[in-house]
Amino acid sequence: MSGHARAVWVAVAESEEVGRHLLACNAGDRPLVLFRRENGDPAALDDECWHRMLPLSNGRLEGDQLICAYHGLVFDPEGRCVRARLGPPPRNACVQAYPAVDAHGMVWVRIEMTEMPENGGSIGLGSVRSALPQQ
């Protein structure tokens, strides 16, 4: 796939691994942080704070908000910075959020890929693709 982005669903963790804690994982070469919202739905963000690129997985979860361990910027599950320790959050402070779902015992994250893995992106689980949201 030369240069064209394609959205794919990638299995990033077993469902039981993702809870009310921060879990670092990878989707290909992309570091992510996963957690469960209070309603039980999985959430996925880039594992890199907007401010100093510290892994957000080093922070902590408070309600549905992820707090960076470095300067205390607070991000919601959609990646928006909603609070800062020293005043209002910077207007452009955000991290990339990804659609995440539970299906067949795995947490799946939808990401854009410009290059497909060597196996062509095949996951070998045909029924799983039909169970994932079409976007």
Side-chain angles (χ1 to χ4, degrees):
M1 273 186 73
S2 57
H4 293 89
R6 178 177 165 197
V8 296
W9 286 95
V10 178
V12 293
E14 293 183 18
S15 293
E16 62 206 30
E17 293 179 281
V18 182
R20 294 288 300 149
H21 59 275
L22 301 176
L23 176 68
C25 68
N26 289 302
D29 62 354
R30 188 172 309 186
L32 301 176
V33 59
L34 305 176
F35 61 93
R36 287 204 186 271
R37 300 171 195 231
E38 289 181 323
N39 69 4
D41 292 340
L45 301 171
D46 275 338
D47 193 9
E48 186 171 272
C49 183
W50 167 85
H51 183 240
R52 294 281 184 189
M53 308 314 161
L54 183 82
L56 288 172
S57 57
N58 289 347
R60 70 182 194 281
L61 193 57
E62 191 173 282
D64 279 350
Q65 299 177 334
L66 193 159
I67 303 170
C68 179
Y70 191 57
H71 278 124
L73 293 177
V74 180
F75 298 93
D76 69 12
E78 286 74 38
R80 294 180 297 253
C81 184
V82 295
R83 197 169 70 233
R85 262 192 235 157
L86 304 174
R91 290 178 199 228
N92 60 344
C94 64
V95 295
Q96 179 68 47
Y98 301 90
V101 296
D102 264 312
H104 303 278
M106 302 292 291
V107 171
W108 298 77
V109 176
R110 186 175 183 261
I111 61 171
E112 298 284 329
M113 297 183 75
T114 54
E115 293 184 27
M116 293 302 289
E118 287 182 22
N119 69 358
S122 172
I123 56 175
L125 300 170
S127 63
V128 172
R129 286 192 178 165
S130 63
L132 297 174
Q134 299 300 309
Q135 293 182 357

